[in-house]
């Protein structure tokens, strides 16, 4: 049974967790948002979704150190059709962790993990998704027509 569409005040469709993870798995690039030297940092990464986690390669550096510390981070991916004015965005929040070398070997055999950047000694890190939310901008004809006092 399909759930009825729900919209926020901006008339964006609210996406459920399963749809959010499905959409994340449909694109190859996302943005990792973490703290570096006390300030927000955003890095573009290619990734794969593995059940309810996000996995990507990194070299030694600030992303790897964030995973070693188990930092709480955000991850965002989206897709936009600029001609039709439609698209979606999904944001996941969770803790980073370093994938052990044994598990990394198994993941590389079973998942399409291919870094787009050449790296010496690439390591895998995982974002355990603890919360996920998404919004979709649907075609004009599918958007609700409620006044400013009506919210869903």
């Amino acid at each position: 049974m399909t759930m009825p569409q729900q919209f926020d005040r901006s008339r964006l469709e609210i996406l459920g967790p399963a749809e959010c993870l499905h959409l994340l798995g449909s694109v190859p690039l996302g943005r990792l948002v973490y703290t570096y030297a006390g300030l927000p940092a955003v890095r573009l990464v290619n990734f794969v979704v593995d059940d309810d986690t996000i996995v990507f390669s990194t070299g030694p550096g600030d992303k790897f150190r964030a995973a070693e510390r188990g930092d709480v981070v955000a991850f965002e991916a989206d897709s936009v059709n600029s001609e039709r004015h439609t698209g979606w965005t999904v944001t996941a929040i969770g803790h980073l962790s370093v994938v052990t070398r044994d598990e990394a070997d198994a993941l590389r055999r079973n998942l399409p993990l291919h870094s787009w950047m050449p790296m010496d000694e690439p390591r895998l890190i995982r974002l355990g998704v603890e919360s996920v939310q998404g919004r979709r901008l649907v075609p004009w004809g599918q958007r609700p027509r409620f006044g400013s006092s009506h919210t869903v």
Side-chain angles (χ1 to χ4, degrees):
M1 175 192 309
T2 31
M3 298 285 295
Q5 287 179 302
Q6 292 185 329
F7 293 85
D8 66 12
R9 291 178 185 220
S10 300
R11 298 185 184 138
L12 297 172
E13 180 186 6
I14 300 169
L15 304 174
E19 178 72 1
C20 287
L21 290 172
H22 172 75
L23 289 170
L24 281 177
S26 72
V27 295
L29 291 174
R31 286 164 289 284
L32 178 69
V33 183
Y34 62 104
T35 303
Y36 176 68
L39 297 171
V42 181
R43 299 292 183 267
L44 192 64
V45 297
N46 63 296
F47 69 99
V48 296
V49 174
D50 180 30
D51 292 324
D52 60 351
T53 67
I54 296 166
V55 181
F56 57 94
S57 290
T58 191
D62 48 327
K63 292 186 299 269
F64 185 75
R65 285 189 294 279
E68 286 182 309
R69 292 188 302 263
D71 288 2
V72 174
V73 300
F75 187 87
E76 193 268 346
D78 50 52
S79 179
V80 176
N81 182 322
S82 58
E83 291 178 14
R84 295 187 65 212
H85 298 188
T86 59
W88 57 265
T89 184
V90 170
T91 303
I93 306 288
H95 288 81
L96 284 182
S97 63
V98 176
V99 176
T100 66
R101 292 191 188 273
D102 289 341
E103 185 185 2
D105 290 341
L107 287 172
R108 284 189 175 102
R109 282 192 301 273
N110 296 313
L111 295 174
L113 284 161
H114 306 288
S115 176
W116 290 12
M117 294 183 55
M119 282 186 246
D120 295 329
E121 302 179 42
R123 295 290 304 271
L124 295 185
I125 58 179
R126 178 188 308 274
L127 169 59
V129 176
E130 297 168 26
S131 75
V132 63
Q133 56 182 300
R135 299 288 187 270
R136 180 177 8 236
L137 183 60
V138 297
W140 283 100
Q142 295 176 22
R143 296 179 194 167
R145 304 196 188 293
F146 46 78
S148 59
S149 64
H150 180 69
T151 59
V152 174

